[in-house]
Amino acid sequence: MPLHSLVLVGIVAQTLAVPQPVRDRIDATARELHPAITEVRRDIHRHPELGFREKRTAALVADRLKALGYEVRTGVGVTGVVGVLKGGRPGPVVAIRADMDALPIPELIDVPYKSTVPNVKHACGHDAHTAMTLGVAEIFSRMRADIPGTIKFLFQPAEEGDPDGGRTGALRMLDDKAFEDPAPVAIFGMHVMPTLEAGQVGANIGPAMASSDRFTVTITGKKTHGAYPHTGIDPVPIAAQVIMALQTIPSRQIDAQKPTVVTVGIVQGGNRFNIVADEVSLTGTVRSLDTEGPSVVKGKMDAIVKGITSSFGAAYTLKYEEGAPVTFNDPALARASLPALEAVAGPGKVVAPPPQMGAEDFAYFQQRIPGFYFFVGVANPAKNITAMIHTEHFDIDEAALAVGMRAMATAVADYLYRASAR
């Protein structure tokens, strides 16, 4: 599999703050837990649940956290779970986030852990995220006395969005005081990634994933008989011109070093073959890796649509809805975390993948406190595990589960030891 990533060189020049005996315990415990965590992942995969319906998954998470001695809150942001572990030594509060929801996609791979729910599948790896993070929770529970600080686990619903069109899971958890009592000063998250092979870890400094906005342009003309178009105002050719002109925003009006996508995904209009429609609507998405990108695109979009429609005597409305912001890794936190990732993955195995135009609501947490979001490789071409996320054939090499547990636990432990030593 071609890997269009930059290998990060010289990461270990910075000494880890977490002591070697603690690192050894993390590694040994992760390897010991790997078979059990694999079964947890398979169990969740067999029973996928859509956003804000994750009742079974949330109950599984809460039960395991309680058994490990965590303080547990349930029903946070509808179906979210928060677990708090107070370490035996003074230090800061740090958060770890895992998402729990599945997608409305059928399972088309023949595996022992195949989804038992028709047309619902963990096609984005949230089953793995939940399982790995439960593994991290158990690792820390076993070394509680040595932890300098407090670790807050956020098991989040509806990262893929509310199936009923409401607010996303991260916002619902924040609304429900997930960042209070105690308040974390930094947050970590991870995502499996099939563009990286199992054993590799991906990390970006700065933008990692794009913002995601939605727009609807409604063009209103004048209905008439299709044989006499001059007696009306046809919104169909106007819409066609608008679609083409919108593509000049990323291609000709935005700095090429600030990746931007404008996509019209839905075109609706008309009611009969021989009638000039009175209205056409265009619905699409805007993606940007620049924090100011969405507002810039919105302004240019409005100017384009206004100019084209007015030249034909048509009217328009533009509805622009802001979605998840840019997933932006705090540079200081990201750089400080890289040595921990390489200590786990090994030399040359930590790479900087190109920032992605997909979006992630982890970004809402990063708007409140510094956050670091990294990727865990799960592809294995030898096992034919290469399918992309959000597809019916997506799967993971489960060997990556141990890598993810070790990477997260080591990075968080290193942060706590470094912060407590200041």
Side-chain angles (χ1 to χ4, degrees):
M1 171 182 299
L3 179 64
H4 303 293
S5 303
L6 175 65
V7 176
L8 296 171
V9 180
I11 294 172
V12 293
Q14 180 179 348
T15 305
L16 292 181
V18 57
Q20 186 63 51
V22 174
R23 288 168 52 190
D24 291 342
R25 287 177 62 190
I26 289 173
D27 290 349
T29 307
R31 291 190 172 96
E32 175 195 335
L33 292 175
H34 183 242
I37 293 303
T38 299
E39 287 306 313
V40 171
R41 181 256 167 176
R42 292 185 173 197
D43 178 60
I44 296 172
H45 193 93
R46 290 187 190 100
H47 304 93
E49 297 169 301
L50 297 177
F52 299 127
R53 279 83 163 164
E54 309 95 337
K55 295 181 179 180
R56 182 184 185 278
T57 306
L60 182 155
V61 168
D63 289 345
R64 290 184 73 93
L65 291 177
K66 289 175 183 177
L68 294 171
Y70 280 72
E71 300 173 16
V72 177
R73 280 181 62 201
T74 58
V76 183
V78 185
T79 48
V81 180
V82 175
V84 177
L85 183 73
K86 295 178 180 178
R89 297 166 51 189
V93 181
V94 65
I96 301 174
R97 178 274 212 163
D99 37 16
M100 302 186 294
D101 56 321
L103 285 161
I105 294 177
E107 179 99 83
L108 296 185
I109 55 174
D110 188 14
V111 290
Y113 42 88
K114 187 172 183 177
S115 171
T116 60
V117 182
N119 299 314
V120 182
K121 168 186 170 71
H122 270 291
C124 200
H126 297 186
D127 53 339
H129 304 165
T130 299
M132 288 188 292
T133 305
L134 284 172
V136 174
E138 183 159 354
I139 290 170
F140 284 133
S141 73
R142 295 191 187 187
M143 49 187 289
R144 183 175 195 158
D146 297 322
I147 294 175
T150 297
I151 307 174
K152 192 169 195 175
F153 286 81
L154 309 182
F155 289 87
Q156 180 203 307
E159 186 279 325
E160 302 290 354
D162 182 356
D164 298 325
R167 287 158 66 83
T168 184
L171 288 174
R172 298 278 189 99
M173 290 197 80
L174 289 170
D175 290 345
D176 215 357
K177 302 181 179 180
F179 267 12
E180 299 180 24
D181 193 28
V185 296
I187 187 166
F188 291 76
M190 60 181 164
H191 199 298
V192 297
M193 187 51 58
T195 57
L196 302 176
E197 295 189 9
Q200 292 181 311
V201 177
N204 300 96
I205 298 171
M209 301 186 77
S211 59
S212 175
D213 296 346
R214 175 175 174 152
F215 66 86
T216 298
V217 175
T218 302
I219 301 169
T220 304
K222 180 181 177 182
K223 183 177 292 186
T224 188
H225 194 296
Y228 312 103
H230 61 286
T231 63
I233 299 174
D234 191 348
V236 173
I238 300 172
Q241 290 196 32
V242 168
I243 292 171
M244 296 303 295
L246 290 180
Q247 299 313 305
T248 67
I249 296 176
S251 68
R252 288 295 179 268
Q253 301 184 56
I254 301 291
D255 186 341
Q257 297 182 72
K258 298 179 179 179
T260 303
V261 170
V262 178
T263 294
V264 176
I266 302 173
V267 181
Q268 294 177 316
N271 58 0
R272 201 169 190 275
F273 77 98
N274 64 345
I275 296 177
V276 169
D278 58 353
E279 186 174 280
V280 172
S281 66
L282 313 174
T283 303
T285 185
V286 174
R287 307 292 175 111
S288 178
L289 289 169
D290 179 19
T291 55
E292 303 300 321
S295 61
V296 172
V297 171
K298 180 182 178 182
K300 294 182 180 298
M301 182 179 292
D302 189 65
I304 286 173
V305 178
K306 180 179 181 179
I308 293 175
T309 53
S310 64
S311 69
F312 287 95
Y316 81 97
T317 59
L318 170 61
K319 181 181 180 182
Y320 194 98
E321 303 170 82
E322 293 185 359
V326 176
T327 302
F328 187 87
N329 286 334
D330 179 82
L333 179 59
R335 290 191 183 96
S337 301
L338 292 180
L341 300 185
E342 186 170 77
V344 169
K349 290 297 186 70
V350 180
V351 301
Q356 300 179 47
M357 300 312 291
E360 166 59 71
D361 76 349
F362 183 81
Y364 289 116
F365 298 125
Q366 291 175 310
Q367 288 193 318
R368 302 287 185 93
I369 57 177
F372 179 51
Y373 192 75
F374 63 90
F375 301 98
V376 179
V378 294
N380 189 329
K383 296 181 179 179
N384 198 31
I385 300 176
T386 58
M388 193 56 180
I389 54 175
H390 286 227
T391 66
E392 298 90 336
H393 294 90
F394 173 74
D395 198 7
I396 70 168
D397 182 345
E398 292 173 323
L401 296 174
V403 178
M405 285 189 286
R406 292 169 57 218
M408 179 62 78
T410 304
V412 170
D414 188 65
Y415 176 89
L416 290 174
Y417 274 91
R418 191 177 305 281
S420 63
R422 291 173 188 152

